[in-house]
Amino acid sequence: MMSLSTYKRREDLLYEIFHTLHEMPELHQRIFVRNHYNGQSPEAISRIIHLDVKEVNEILRQCDRSLHSALREFRADSGCIPPLCESMTTCSLNFR
């Protein structure tokens, strides 16, 4: 059984991920979601949204840096990010 503090920490992590993604410009959100949640390659994304693949890769790097920075406190205690709660797999990602 998961302790209350572990559950709270996972909940905080999930909140921070969603908050960080929602703070990104819409184009960044779309590219990030297509890549990380839909499994599309930067090349496929560039064809779909009509951007150069270099631009797509740069946007993905920016997104990764933003998330890395925002989630720093979750790595500080243990050196890694705790596993996400089960609700992460059932959450609706409302990015367009």
Side-chain angles (χ1 to χ4, degrees), residues 32-93:
F32 183 87
V33 168
R34 284 182 179 277
N35 181 255
H36 289 277
Y37 293 102
N38 298 340
Q40 295 177 343
S41 69
E43 293 78 13
I45 295 168
S46 73
R47 286 190 302 272
I48 293 166
I49 62 175
H50 308 291
L51 275 181
D52 186 89
V53 73
K54 289 179 184 179
E55 290 177 85
V56 171
N57 281 319
E58 179 55 32
I59 288 171
L60 286 170
R61 279 190 291 278
Q62 290 172 13
C63 293
D64 287 343
R65 281 193 302 269
S66 293
L67 278 168
H68 182 79
S69 177
L71 303 177
R72 183 176 322 238
E73 74 177 81
F74 293 95
R75 290 186 311 279
D77 293 338
S78 64
C80 65
I81 295 174
L84 296 176
C85 63
E86 291 176 9
S87 64
M88 178 66 175
T89 59
T90 60
C91 287
S92 170
L93 295 174

